[in-house]
């Protein structure tokens, strides 16, 4: 159900060309996948968020996405990638 809400949020941000909202939604979707043990999908969305936030120079949301990536790495014992 949460993923459905995030999908709706993404569609709303996409229709408004709101890159910050899109990136935040991608981070949230990635975290959701991570919490459900789907690391590959989590990394896919989190890396998209990292890319957008880097391009936008949005340091606050970039930190959130990087933390989500590090947490996903740690949960999956991917210690070198978490650095």
């Amino acid at each position: 159900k949460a993923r459905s809400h995030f999908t709706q949020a993404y569609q709303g941000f996409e229709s408004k060309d709101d890159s910050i909202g899109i990136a935040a939604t991608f981070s949230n979707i990635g975290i959701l996948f991570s919490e459900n043990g789907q690391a590959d999908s989590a990394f896919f969305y989190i890396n998209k968020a990292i890319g957008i936030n880097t391009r936008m120079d949005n340091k606050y949301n970039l930190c959130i996405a990087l933390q989500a990536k590090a947490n996903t790495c740690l949960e999956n014992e991917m210690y070198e990638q978490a650095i």
Side-chain angles (χ1 to χ4, degrees):
K1 183 162 180 147
R3 197 163 113 203
S4 170
H5 292 292
F6 287 133
T7 300
Q8 288 177 342
Y10 168 77
Q11 291 169 345
F13 292 130
E14 181 73 21
S15 71
K16 295 178 183 179
D17 200 27
D18 181 348
S19 296
I20 293 172
I22 291 169
T25 302
F26 283 158
S27 287
N28 288 327
I29 292 171
I31 292 166
L32 181 65
F33 276 117
S34 181
E35 290 173 351
N36 288 315
Q38 296 173 285
D40 288 342
S41 294
F43 287 127
F44 175 80
Y45 284 100
I46 292 168
N47 285 332
K48 287 178 82 122
I50 290 169
I52 293 169
N53 287 314
T54 300
R55 285 192 300 280
M56 302 280 304
D57 197 32
N58 187 327
K59 291 175 177 55
Y60 178 79
N61 285 343
L62 177 59
C63 288
I64 292 170
L66 289 170
Q67 182 178 10
K69 185 172 185 174
N71 288 339
T72 302
C73 288
L74 291 174
E75 290 167 4
N76 290 279
E77 300 179 1
M78 302 168 70
Y79 303 117
E80 290 296 317
Q81 293 90 328
I83 297 173

